[in-house]
């Protein structure tokens, strides 16, 4: 994702849900939030779309997550390539 200033951000959420970009922008205090075009996401993260991980991004990216994720005992996120998942306790 990126904000109206084209600054990247990582969003962690349940895989069966969609991001409300309007609510996310309001929460972050920015005008808009939108998905990055794949080439831009690759440049920001260093990962191919579909394998983007919140770990080890090329550029420092703020990370936002759904409050319901914090209630889970374990979360699984992309480990940097398609089909590779990493499990860990949720962020606090």
């Amino acid at each position: 994702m990126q904000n109206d200033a084209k600054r990247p951000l990582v969003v962690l959420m349940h895989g069966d849900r969609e991001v409300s970009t309007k609510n996310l922008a309001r929460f972050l205090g920015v005008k808009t939030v939108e998905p990055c075009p794949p080439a831009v996401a690759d440049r920001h993260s260093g990962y191919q779309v579909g394998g983007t991980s919140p770990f080890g991004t090329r550029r420092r990216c703020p990370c936002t997550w759904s409050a319901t994720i914090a209630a889970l005992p374990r979360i699984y996120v992309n480990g940097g390539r398609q089909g590779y998942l990493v499990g860990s306790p949720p962020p606090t």
Side-chain angles (χ1 to χ4, degrees):
M1 296 273 185
Q2 63 186 8
N3 66 19
D4 51 334
K6 305 295 184 206
R7 292 199 176 103
L9 61 130
V10 174
V11 178
L12 298 179
M13 59 179 293
H14 299 276
D16 62 344
R17 308 246 173 100
E18 292 184 13
V19 174
S20 168
T21 55
K22 187 175 184 179
N23 288 340
L24 181 58
R26 189 176 305 125
F27 175 77
L28 296 173
V30 296
K31 189 175 179 180
T32 60
V33 172
E34 63 185 7
C36 292
V40 174
D42 290 352
R43 223 174 22 255
H44 288 316
S45 68
Y47 300 112
Q48 290 184 331
V49 172
T52 305
S53 174
F55 305 116
T57 55
R58 207 175 263 163
R59 290 188 178 174
R60 187 178 186 130
C61 299
C63 188
T64 303
W65 56 86
S66 168
T68 56
I69 287 178
L72 298 172
R74 190 164 201 74
I75 62 169
Y76 293 89
V77 297
N78 206 302
R81 65 177 184 261
Q82 292 176 342
Y84 181 68
L85 298 176
V86 176
S88 76
T92 56

